[in-house]
């Protein structure tokens, strides 16, 4: 049944109400089974539960209120799109990556079937009219990362107002110059869209907001190095997911309050599972809401996830932006430097990712790495093979999993993950 409080808003957004109701029904059930069944959750997670219960309600209403005040909403799919510029233009920046199968059938009408589930999901959400975030966007920003995404944007761009950033595939000086020109082109696009001139003052203020959010998430992730871990991997992943669409200032305050609780827990040597529970580092493709399948399987197999080496995780927050430059040129350079440190598998070579996984595993005292690849994702499939070799040398066990958003392989995955957890125990 459509939530009467928001029915009018969803109708105005042209959602397919029965299909949208069905999606919310499944999401609610799934959340209950995976999240509310956990024991020993921190009090601060109530905020995240609330945000999630209102993900298509209150938050979307806030977007409509912002639009009524004249602000624009910008949707993105990749952590390479500088949120700082969006905020400096007075716009709202939301992540549109999707983690559910709903809409896949529709997406396959315009995409090859052997496309990764993440791409099919965001295209399917639009075609099936079930995502109020996509429908709220005044601009959708794509990027030329993997082949699947960049080709999908050609078809997707016929359905939504799009701007595609050209991202380099290497980190040479020429690549840096290309990326810098694309950052400037995005700034100009935003200025045209919003009618707001991005000044150094506005950009520095936006950098401070985004840096504060990243610092809160860094603090959260660092606390997970404690044994026992003060928070489950499922809850931590949820926090990283919500970071992409919640109001950044409100979100940062909530996460810092949660970290205060975590510090108390760590001080008391308490955690979500007993000390000595096998510790897993997740690594690989991003897990967008509501893709909680593998974390659920892992933690119900007797392990605890202590980190996410992923864009919905550490890759999004590892680096801060230097806010000290006074003029626009210097600030743009700082953005370019910060964003080019991202170690996405779309880059070649991408050796820094290997080193980053090893150091994360060491810092978080992980007993093993679970590499998560979405089926048909070439960049991460290639790097899984390399990473396994690197980790073997370091004597860190790794299990590579390839899957999609369907539930059909749950039992098979559970068997493999349970065997891995037993092995590292
Ligand atoms: S910076 S990881 S968010 S591109 S899973 S769509 S790579 S076929 S998501 Fe990504 Fe930016 Fe890189 Fe991060 Fe393609 Fe692979 Fe699908 Fe992927």
């Amino acid at each position: 049944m459509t939530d009467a409080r928001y029915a009018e808003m969803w109708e105005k957004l042209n959602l397919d109400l029965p299909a949208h109701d069905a999606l919310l029904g499944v999401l609610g059930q799934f959340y209950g089974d995976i999240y509310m069944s956990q024991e020993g959750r921190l009090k601060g997670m109530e905020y995240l539960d609330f945000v999630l219960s209102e993900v298509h309600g209150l938050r979307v209403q806030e977007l409509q209120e912002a639009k009524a005040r004249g602000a624009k909403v910008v949707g993105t799919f990749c952590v390479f799109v500088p949120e700082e510029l969006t905020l400096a233009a007075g716009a709202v920046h939301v992540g549109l990556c999707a983690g559910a199968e709903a809409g896949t059938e529709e997406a396959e009408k315009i995409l090859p079937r052997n496309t990764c589930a993440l791409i099919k999901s965001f295209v399917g959400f639009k075609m099936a009219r079930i995502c109020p975030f996509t429908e709220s966007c005044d601009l959708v920003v794509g990027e030329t990362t993997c082949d699947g995404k960049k080709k999908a944007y050609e078809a997707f761009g016929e359905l939504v107002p799009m701007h595609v950033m050209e991202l380099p595939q290497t980190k040479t000086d020429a690549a840096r110059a290309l990326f810098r020109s694309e950052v400037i082109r995005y700034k100009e696009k935003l200025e045209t869209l919003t009618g707001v001139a991005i000044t150094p003052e506005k950009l520095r203020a936006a950098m401070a907001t985004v840096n504060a959010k990243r610092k809160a998430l860094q603090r959260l992730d660092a606390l997970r190095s404690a044994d026992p871990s003060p928070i489950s991997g499922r809850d931590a992943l949820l926090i990283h997911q919500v970071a992409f669409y919640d109001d950044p200032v409100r979100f940062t305050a909530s996460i810092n309050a949660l970290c205060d609780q975590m510090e108390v827990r760590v001080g008391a040597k308490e955690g979500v599972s007993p000390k000595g529970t096998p510790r897993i580092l997740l690594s690989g493709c991003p897990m967008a809401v509501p893709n909680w399948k593998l974390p659920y399987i892992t933690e119900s197999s007797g392990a605890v996830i202590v980190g996410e080496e992923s864009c919905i995780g550490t890759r999004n927050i590892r680096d801060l932006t230097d806010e000290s430059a006074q003029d626009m040129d210097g600030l743009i350079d700082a953005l370019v430097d910060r964003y080019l440190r991202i170690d996405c598998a779309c880059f070649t070579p991408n050796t820094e990712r290997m080193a980053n996984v090893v150091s994360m595993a060491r810092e978080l005292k992980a007993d093993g790495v679970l590499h998560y690849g979405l089926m048909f994702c070439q960049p991460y499939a290639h790097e899984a093979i390399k990473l396994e070799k690197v980790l073997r040398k370091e004597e860190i066990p790794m299990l590579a999993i390839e899957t999609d958003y369907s539930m059909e392989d749950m039992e098979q995955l559970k068997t493999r993950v349970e065997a891995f957890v037993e092995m590292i125990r």
Side-chain angles (χ1 to χ4, degrees):
M1 276 280 286
T2 299
D3 186 328
R5 290 169 302 163
Y6 304 119
E8 203 185 321
M9 174 177 78
W10 290 334
E11 214 159 6
K12 272 196 197 146
L13 287 170
N14 195 28
L15 294 189
D16 177 337
L17 293 184
H20 181 247
D21 282 355
L23 174 67
L24 288 192
V26 173
L27 186 68
Q29 159 97 46
F30 207 39
Y31 194 74
D33 293 348
I34 291 180
Y35 279 92
M36 305 316 280
S37 60
Q38 296 180 95
E39 282 174 18
R41 287 178 93 208
L42 291 149
K43 180 105 182 85
M45 287 308 296
E46 284 173 7
Y47 173 73
L48 280 301
D49 291 338
F50 176 71
V51 171
L52 211 87
S53 70
E54 287 289 342
V55 59
H56 282 199
L58 213 51
R59 183 61 182 143
V60 177
Q61 193 172 297
E62 286 178 351
L63 298 188
Q64 307 318 309
E65 287 162 4
K67 283 163 79 86
R69 291 193 301 271
K72 302 292 181 190
V73 175
V74 176
T76 61
F77 302 102
C78 177
V79 297
F80 265 102
V81 181
E83 182 176 359
E84 293 88 340
L85 286 174
T86 317
L87 299 186
V92 184
H93 189 97
V94 290
L96 295 180
C97 277
E101 253 198 321
T104 298
E105 233 173 82
E106 287 292 315
E108 287 177 355
K109 290 178 185 162
I110 62 166
L111 299 177
R113 291 196 68 199
N114 58 350
T115 299
C116 94
L118 189 147
I119 298 171
K120 278 191 209 167
S121 185
F122 73 70
V123 172
F125 272 26
K126 171 66 195 170
M127 292 180 73
R129 295 190 286 121
I130 49 179
C131 177
F133 287 90
T134 307
E135 301 305 328
S136 300
C137 282
D138 298 289
L139 181 71
V140 173
V141 186
E143 72 309 314
T144 57
T145 43
C146 68
D147 287 353
K149 268 185 176 174
K150 73 182 170 227
K151 294 308 284 182
Y153 295 142
E154 291 174 12
F156 196 63
E158 291 179 13
L159 309 174
V160 294
M162 259 207 111
H163 172 84
V164 178
M165 285 180 76
E166 187 174 348
L167 287 200
Q169 311 280 298
T170 67
K171 293 184 180 172
T172 59
D173 289 348
R176 187 183 187 283
L178 167 65
F179 183 59
R180 192 178 194 283
S181 69
E182 284 298 284
V183 168
I184 292 170
R185 197 167 66 88
Y186 179 51
K187 171 179 170 283
E188 290 166 355
K189 178 77 191 179
L190 284 167
E191 289 176 326
T192 308
L193 177 77
T194 60
V196 172
I198 299 177
T199 60
E201 293 67 38
K202 285 182 183 149
L203 184 50
R204 259 199 311 277
M207 283 173 167
T209 301
V210 180
N211 275 343
K213 176 165 75 168
R214 291 189 184 127
K215 276 184 206 158
L217 289 166
Q218 286 175 356
R219 186 179 163 208
L220 174 116
D221 281 353
L223 285 161
R224 296 165 74 192
S225 65
D227 188 10
S229 174
I231 190 167
S232 71
R234 272 168 282 180
D235 279 340
L237 175 63
L238 179 70
I239 291 167
H240 280 284
Q241 291 171 333
V242 168
F244 284 88
Y245 54 83
D246 197 9
D247 172 82
V249 175
R250 179 178 60 203
F251 175 81
T252 302
S254 311
I255 300 312
N256 276 322
L258 183 80
C259 288
D260 294 342
Q261 294 167 23
M262 285 169 70
E263 276 169 4
V264 173
R265 206 175 243 197
V266 171
K269 299 195 179 347
E270 288 168 0
V272 278
S273 52
K275 185 174 165 60
T277 299
R279 299 163 69 84
I280 301 268
L281 172 63
L282 274 185
S283 169
C285 291
M287 290 179 177
V289 178
N291 179 9
W292 305 306
K293 181 168 83 170
L294 194 55
Y296 174 62
I297 289 174
T298 307
E299 295 199 324
S300 54
S301 299
V304 61
I305 295 167
V306 292
E308 297 76 25
E309 188 276 325
S310 151
C311 285
I312 301 185
T314 311
R315 201 172 301 124
N316 182 34
I317 58 143
R318 181 185 291 129
D319 302 304
L320 302 177
T321 310
D322 183 352
E323 305 162 29
S324 63
Q326 291 305 305
D327 61 353
M328 189 53 82
D329 263 357
L331 292 169
I332 296 284
D333 277 332
L335 279 179
V336 171
D337 289 342
R338 187 263 163 205
Y339 280 86
L340 277 184
R341 283 202 287 275
I342 296 172
D343 56 352
C344 171
C346 293
F347 281 87
T348 181
N350 190 35
T351 41
E352 59 267 45
R353 176 164 173 243
M354 307 294 131
N356 282 333
V357 177
V358 172
S359 74
M360 265 187 91
R362 296 266 180 253
E363 276 160 30
L364 296 168
K365 304 182 200 86
D367 301 302
V369 172
L370 202 49
H371 193 276
Y372 164 73
L374 272 171
M375 220 175 276
F376 309 123
C377 172
Q378 287 288 321
Y380 284 91
H382 278 270
E383 291 206 349
I385 297 170
K386 281 193 177 162
L387 186 60
E388 219 246 324
K389 275 192 200 145
V390 171
L391 291 176
R392 202 179 312 136
K393 269 196 200 144
E394 299 288 329
E395 297 184 350
I396 301 170
M398 175 182 129
L399 173 68
I401 296 279
E402 251 200 15
T403 183
D404 56 17
Y405 292 170
S406 82
M407 294 298 148
E408 280 163 22
D409 59 355
M410 283 283 282
E411 282 311 310
Q412 190 208 344
L413 289 181
K414 194 157 174 41
T415 308
R416 293 185 64 203
V417 172
E418 275 174 357
F420 183 64
V421 172
E422 271 319 303
M423 195 261 286
I424 62 174
R425 193 181 285 280

